[in-house]
Amino acid sequence: MRRRAADYRRPVRRRFSHWICALLGLFVVAVLVLFVVHHNHHEDRVEHSVHAEESRMEQLVHENLNFTEEILSATSYSRQLAEQMTLAKAYVIIAKEHNNLHLAWDLSSKIQSCKLLLSKTAMRGQPIALEEAEPIISSLSSLIYKAQDAHYDIATAIVTMKAHIQALEERANAATVQSTVFGQLVAEAFPRSLHCLIVKLSADWLKRLPVQDLANEQRNFPRLVDNNLYHFCIFSDNVLATSVVVNSTISNADHPKQMVFHIITNGISYGAMQAWFLSNDFKGSTIEVQNIEELSWLNASYSLVVKQLIDVDSQAYYFDENQDLKVEPKLRNPKYISLLNHLRFYIPEIYPQLEKIIFLDDDVVVQKDITPLFSMDLHGNVNGAVETCLEAFHRYYKYLNFSNPIISSKFDPQACGWAFGMNVFDLIAWRKANVTARYHYWQEQNADRTLWKLGTLPPGLLAFYGLTEPLDRRWHVLGLGYDFNIDNRLIESAAVVHFNGNMKPWLKQAIGRYKPLWETYINLSHPYLQDCVTS
């Protein structure tokens, strides 16, 4: 076969070289693109690392800054500002005392600026810089120098501040006394509904002569002196509270018909008390109501308490409006020389034919049958009571003045106190030990009110010392008139709960959690109660 001429042959080599150039060009472009992408990614990583490091450093600075240490540091601006602010506050008071109101205003303005800067420092977690602190420190220094130049020296500042502290203390004490006085007034005052009830019952008593005749007939009722029955005594002028005590005791008793209640009240409440208990049914139990004014033997020549009631100095101490504010108001509460309050020390003489009796305060609620107490062995003791010395403040040294040798020589300061409000008394042992005479002796020793300050418990602790039999704690649980945190299980297991304290269940200020325990035993369907509550 013949070969073509050279001019007619295909340019194979020239076409091959063009492909090579195109491939090389594409390769170069790809390399450039990869380089740019890699470079940008590296920069992003570096920038992210820098930001992360900065954030970590900021967090570390924030965590490492202890503002308390900063304030305490001798070289920090925070401490300088805090010290200048404290001094400036003192000079504000002194400037106002000297009627230099312009200086006081300037100082107050700088104090606010100082507070703001310290607050920002605490929030941001960074120390105060020189450029931040210098203007305020300079201005405060100038104002403090100006105050000192006006003769408000350190001595003046100290005297002025002492005077202010003393004035504040006096105001605080006066406020405390006033609060206590108001609390006592609320605790002692009857609600209007109770006044209403007494008025209606008293009117009823005066109008119904047959009821009065019935009361006179029951005075010599044999059951009143029958020692085979269960006898209880209550001394009160509160009709509704006494009714709750009686009703709760009967409602939880196995044999209510074998119960006898001896109630003593004052002349004002006598008619109302008689009308209430003669017109209501109490499951066949016997109820006797007496007027304390009929106890003619309880007079000034026999009882120091009666003597105090007619003594001019005692009347001034307990009833004078211009009383010494240094004496705590509750220590002058007239109830502490009330005859009804002290009748508990004369029980064997009031009921000379009885051998055993349970005393109940008018602010208790009975939740279980308490007649087993009558068969309890008191081991020759006079008083069966629940001890209250689980806490240290219920020991003898908290009630009595052991700095007096008459007390310290005869009593153990660590002896355990006990509760007055639900007590079983062996009246035979009482008469044998002559406890009432012991009570009279200690009342005479405390004529100047230096052995103890208030109440019937301290003389009771002295009179029944060595003559008290401790009962199981569940017989008598106290504190429902002041303690908000009594365990529900303890309340549920208690035979008697006691609303001792100012928050009595018949008052608006009663503790709401405990009030239903008392209200359960009120006959709200009684027409007088309905009228008085709605009115």
Side-chain angles (χ1 to χ4, degrees):
M1 185 176 176
R2 251 186 354 175
R3 293 177 62 122
R4 293 183 183 179
D7 294 339
Y8 295 98
R9 292 179 185 170
R10 289 178 292 185
V12 177
R13 295 189 180 188
R14 187 178 300 168
R15 188 170 62 232
F16 180 71
S17 63
H18 287 313
W19 279 102
I20 293 174
C21 290
L23 289 173
L24 287 173
L26 288 172
F27 178 75
V28 170
V29 170
V31 169
L32 288 172
V33 170
L34 288 173
F35 176 77
V36 171
V37 171
H38 177 74
H39 180 71
N40 289 340
H41 180 66
H42 179 70
E43 285 185 348
D44 289 342
R45 283 171 51 191
V46 170
E47 185 176 356
H48 178 72
S49 299
V50 170
H51 284 309
E53 184 65 21
E54 288 177 354
S55 176
R56 192 181 67 81
M57 290 300 294
E58 287 179 3
Q59 185 178 0
L60 188 62
V61 169
H62 183 79
E63 289 178 352
N64 288 340
L65 178 68
N66 187 317
F67 189 69
T68 304
E69 292 179 358
E70 178 74 7
I71 286 288
L72 296 176
S73 173
T75 59
S76 71
Y77 293 116
S78 298
R79 175 167 178 171
Q80 293 182 45
L81 285 169
E83 289 177 347
Q84 280 197 318
M85 184 173 63
T86 303
L87 188 57
K89 285 180 179 179
Y91 281 123
V92 166
I93 296 172
I94 298 171
K96 287 181 179 179
E97 289 283 338
H98 291 78
N99 207 28
N100 193 343
L101 300 181
H102 182 71
L103 177 59
W105 173 263
D106 289 342
L107 284 167
S108 297
S109 177
K110 293 302 176 185
I111 289 170
Q112 291 302 320
S113 300
C114 187
K115 286 181 178 179
L116 183 60
L117 181 56
L118 289 172
S119 178
K120 286 181 178 179
T121 302
M123 292 296 293
R124 73 189 181 190
Q126 293 180 353
I128 297 176
L130 174 62
E131 57 270 16
E132 295 176 304
E134 187 175 17
I136 300 177
I137 292 175
S138 177
S139 300
L140 270 176
S141 297
S142 176
L143 290 171
I144 290 170
Y145 176 77
K146 186 177 179 180
Q148 290 173 340
D149 192 49
H151 307 293
Y152 306 155
D153 55 13
I154 296 299
T156 304
I158 292 172
V159 171
T160 304
M161 295 307 293
K162 280 185 175 180
H164 275 276
I165 291 170
Q166 185 176 358
L168 287 172
E169 286 179 349
E170 290 176 355
R171 286 172 60 186
N173 290 336
T176 302
V177 169
Q178 191 177 45
S179 174
T180 306
V181 169
F182 290 156
Q184 287 295 136
L185 288 174
V186 171
E188 295 164 20
F190 271 18
R192 284 180 294 176
S193 57
L194 286 183
H195 279 297
C196 168
L197 180 63
I198 290 175
V199 170
K200 285 182 175 292
L201 288 170
S202 298
D204 193 25
W205 167 256
L206 293 173
K207 287 187 297 184
R208 297 174 62 186
L209 295 178
V211 176
Q212 297 183 30
D213 294 337
L214 178 62
N216 290 327
E217 290 176 7
Q218 290 183 352
R219 286 177 179 270
N220 298 317
F221 200 28
R223 288 172 60 88
L224 297 177
V225 293
D226 187 348
N227 283 298
N228 294 315
L229 302 177
Y230 304 118
H231 293 267
F232 303 84
C233 61
I234 308 163
F235 310 133
S236 173
D237 59 356
N238 188 327
V239 177
L240 198 58
T242 306
S243 175
V244 168
V245 177
V246 173
N247 196 24
S248 64
T249 307
I250 290 169
S251 299
N252 293 289
D254 293 335
H255 306 287
K257 291 183 179 180
Q258 296 182 22
M259 290 182 163
V260 180
F261 292 87
H262 305 269
I263 300 169
I264 298 182
T265 188
N266 56 25
I268 296 173
S269 302
Y270 175 72
M273 199 80 77
Q274 283 281 25
W276 179 266
F277 284 101
L278 287 171
S279 61
N280 286 282
D281 177 44
F282 292 94
K283 297 185 177 181
S285 62
T286 302
I287 299 175
E288 174 195 32
V289 178
Q290 289 180 272
N291 188 344
I292 193 172
E293 296 173 4
E294 297 176 2
L295 304 178
S296 57
W297 53 268
L298 193 58
N299 50 48
S301 62
Y302 179 63
S303 172
L304 187 63
V305 174
V306 179
K307 186 177 180 181
Q308 286 177 337
L309 284 173
I310 60 176
D311 182 69
V312 176
D313 292 336
S314 293
Q315 287 183 348
Y317 181 80
Y318 287 103
F319 300 102
D320 190 6
E321 294 180 359
N322 302 314
Q323 295 171 338
D324 184 3
L325 293 178
K326 293 181 180 179
V327 180
E328 193 174 347
K330 71 176 183 178
L331 304 186
R332 298 190 303 264
N333 191 333
K335 79 174 185 179
Y336 294 126
I337 58 169
S338 164
L339 271 182
L340 285 176
N341 201 35
H342 284 261
L343 274 186
R344 63 193 71 189
F345 293 103
Y346 298 99
I347 292 175
E349 293 164 273
I350 299 172
Y351 311 110
Q353 294 176 281
L354 296 183
E355 298 175 355
K356 217 166 196 179
I357 198 167
I358 289 180
F359 166 75
L360 296 171
D361 256 338
D362 65 356
D363 54 354
V364 305
V365 173
V366 178
Q367 301 187 128
K368 293 180 174 24
D369 185 9
I370 58 174
T371 55
L373 287 171
F374 286 93
S375 58
M376 185 172 291
D377 185 5
L378 297 182
H379 300 98
N381 288 310
V382 177
N383 172 30
V386 170
E387 292 184 331
T388 56
C389 59
L390 295 177
E391 299 84 12
F393 54 84
H394 283 143
R395 296 188 182 275
Y396 269 49
Y397 73 91
K398 285 295 183 180
Y399 297 103
L400 304 168
N401 179 15
F402 274 86
S403 64
N404 192 309
I406 298 177
I407 297 293
S408 58
S409 62
K410 296 184 178 181
F411 301 97
D412 177 10
Q414 295 296 329
C416 194
W418 42 266
F420 238 156
M422 195 290 295
N423 306 78
V424 53
F425 291 124
D426 183 336
L427 301 185
I428 296 175
W430 183 315
R431 297 181 186 102
K432 184 178 180 181
N434 206 357
V435 175
T436 302
R438 296 171 67 170
Y439 161 74
H440 282 161
Y441 170 79
W442 287 113
Q443 283 286 8
E444 290 170 1
Q445 295 299 315
N446 193 46
D448 57 357
R449 294 181 287 273
T450 58
L451 299 188
W452 68 84
K453 294 180 180 179
L454 58 88
T456 53
L457 181 57
L461 295 176
L462 300 176
F464 291 100
Y465 186 70
L467 300 173
T468 299
E469 179 71 17
L471 303 179
D472 188 285
R473 188 185 180 195
R474 289 169 294 183
W475 281 111
H476 187 188
V477 171
L478 298 97
L480 278 73
Y482 67 89
D483 189 349
F484 289 81
N485 300 310
I486 303 175
D487 192 332
N488 282 331
R489 292 170 297 181
L490 186 61
I491 293 175
E492 291 170 3
S493 66
V496 176
V497 290
H498 196 165
F499 288 82
N500 57 312
N502 283 342
M503 298 181 185
K504 301 299 184 186
W506 53 85
L507 299 176
K508 286 185 178 180
Q509 65 171 355
I511 300 174
R513 178 179 155 218
Y514 309 135
K515 198 167 183 177
L517 299 172
W518 187 79
E519 291 177 332
T520 300
Y521 298 100
I522 299 176
N523 181 15
L524 294 174
S525 63
H526 194 285
Y528 286 173
L529 275 178
Q530 288 184 338
D531 291 345
C532 290
V533 170
T534 54
S535 64

